[in-house]
Amino acid sequence: MKRIDLKVSIVICAYNEEKTIESVVHSCRQFNPESEILVLDDGSQDKTPEILKQLADELDIRNIRLESNKGKSWAMARGVEEATNEIILFWDADVTGIREEHFTQILKPIYEGEADMVLGQPSETFMDHRYNPFRGLTGERAILKKELLPILDEFREIAFGVETYINLYFRAHGKKIVFTLLEGLNHPTKYKKTSLIKATTEFLSEGQEIAQTYIDNYDLISKRIELSFDEQNTAIKEGLRRLQNEINARFRVFMKGPDQKNKNP
């Protein structure tokens, strides 16, 4: 069933993104003149609040300031609660190379009724998109708001495991997920944004949160497996195989502690 009459709320969660937030907001407004734009400032300590205040005076956006840094999942949940439209489009605050067609790619499958969630993978990342086991963790994703409302309280406290939880929930409930490559969109690694030590610490911490999300939500994985075998068709079995490979790949990366890495020759 097509959903061409539904409207879009773009939710941008930002924390210390003074270098890119102005460009991101301008691009989102330029390419989506009819959409609602909400920017959740998650307690930024740099010039992000000042930039957003100025943007709110110039553009039709909603600038929502969280007084303390509560984490990405909390900001995302608040954005969903505040959004007034039927489709939620999450968009990262630190991407560059934004093009108009990127929004079309993500939103069209939702409008056409071909997907319940669309994940947009930036083409310019630290890993070839064809082999990237983390593509499901992308911040660029479109979802119907009504699909998120039942799980807001669950993912609010998850921090950097929020994308993992949403993916598991949708797969466990047999939702249609579509991936699309956003050619030219650049998502910087932490190593380009901060010091080596801080980036490594944050990367390991986020990895542990993501891995813990898998462990804490084993019931969703089990439900996904049961659903696949119940339907007994080749397409579902292949999807299950890809899901299992994805889980195994992430566990190998995130659960390999620093001590083990140091033992490698």
Side-chain angles (χ1 to χ4, degrees):
M1 182 178 66
K2 293 190 176 183
R3 307 152 173 156
I4 56 176
D5 294 329
L6 302 187
K7 295 182 179 180
V8 177
S9 291
I10 301 175
V11 175
I12 304 169
C13 300
Y15 177 66
N16 292 345
E17 301 293 356
E18 62 182 11
K19 295 181 180 180
T20 54
I21 188 63
E22 183 173 3
S23 173
V24 168
V25 172
H26 270 291
S27 294
C28 286
R29 174 47 69 213
Q30 177 186 353
F31 298 136
N32 302 273
E34 303 300 322
S35 297
E36 176 183 44
I37 296 179
L38 304 92
V39 186
L40 284 295
D41 176 12
D42 190 22
S44 295
Q45 300 299 312
D46 62 357
K47 294 181 180 179
T48 298
E50 301 169 31
I51 296 171
L52 289 176
K53 187 177 184 301
Q54 182 176 350
L55 287 173
D57 291 336
E58 300 173 358
L59 304 174
D60 180 18
I61 66 170
R62 294 177 59 191
N63 177 25
I64 301 172
R65 165 81 172 171
L66 304 181
E67 293 305 320
S68 61
N69 179 230
K70 293 181 176 293
K72 185 177 182 179
S73 60
W74 188 281
M76 288 174 65
R78 175 71 181 277
V80 173
E81 291 172 333
E82 295 282 347
T84 61
N85 293 328
E86 300 92 342
I87 298 174
I88 303 295
L89 173 58
F90 292 110
W91 200 266
D92 282 331
D94 58 352
V95 291
T96 57
I98 302 173
R99 303 174 183 172
E100 185 173 9
E101 59 262 32
H102 294 157
F103 298 99
T104 302
Q105 285 178 249
I106 292 183
L107 292 172
K108 185 177 179 181
I110 298 289
Y111 284 134
E112 295 293 327
E114 299 170 352
D116 297 304
M117 176 168 66
V118 181
L119 304 180
Q121 171 63 49
S123 65
E124 309 304 312
T125 60
F126 73 100
M127 187 180 296
D128 190 317
H129 64 84
R130 293 171 297 177
Y131 312 110
N132 190 349
F134 310 112
R135 65 175 186 162
L137 305 183
T138 178
E140 282 61 58
R141 59 181 62 210
I143 315 174
L144 293 173
K145 180 178 179 179
K146 67 178 182 179
E147 301 284 4
L148 289 173
L149 291 177
I151 59 173
L152 278 187
D153 289 338
E154 282 75 12
F155 79 62
R156 192 188 306 272
E157 305 288 345
I158 294 178
F160 284 97
V162 60
E163 287 95 352
T164 301
Y165 179 83
I166 294 173
N167 293 349
L168 286 174
Y169 178 85
F170 270 63
R171 287 171 175 172
H173 290 81
K175 303 294 183 180
K176 293 180 290 184
I177 302 174
V178 170
F179 285 88
T180 184
L181 179 65
L182 304 179
E183 193 66 49
L185 189 67
N186 188 306
H187 189 275
T189 66
K190 292 185 177 298
Y191 294 96
K192 290 184 178 181
K193 296 172 63 175
T194 186
S195 67
L196 176 63
I197 295 176
K198 184 176 181 181
T200 301
T201 301
E202 291 180 355
F203 182 79
L204 291 174
S205 176
E206 291 175 16
Q208 290 173 352
E209 290 175 1
I210 292 169
Q212 191 62 47
T213 300
Y214 276 110
I215 295 171
D216 292 344
N217 293 281
Y218 181 77
D219 59 323
L220 292 181
I221 298 175
S222 299
K223 187 169 184 178
R224 170 59 175 160
I225 293 172
E226 292 172 5
L227 177 65
S228 298
F229 281 108
D230 286 344
E231 294 183 359
Q232 289 294 307
N233 65 60
T234 303
I236 295 296
K237 288 181 180 179
E238 178 61 20
L240 176 59
R241 185 187 65 80
R242 290 196 301 268
L243 173 61
Q244 188 61 57
N245 288 341
E246 182 180 334
I247 293 172
N248 291 341
R250 289 176 184 168
F251 265 96
R252 283 196 295 269
V253 172
F254 291 127
M255 298 304 285
K256 186 176 182 181
D259 293 340
Q260 290 177 292
K261 292 180 180 179
N262 293 335
K263 292 178 182 179
N264 291 337

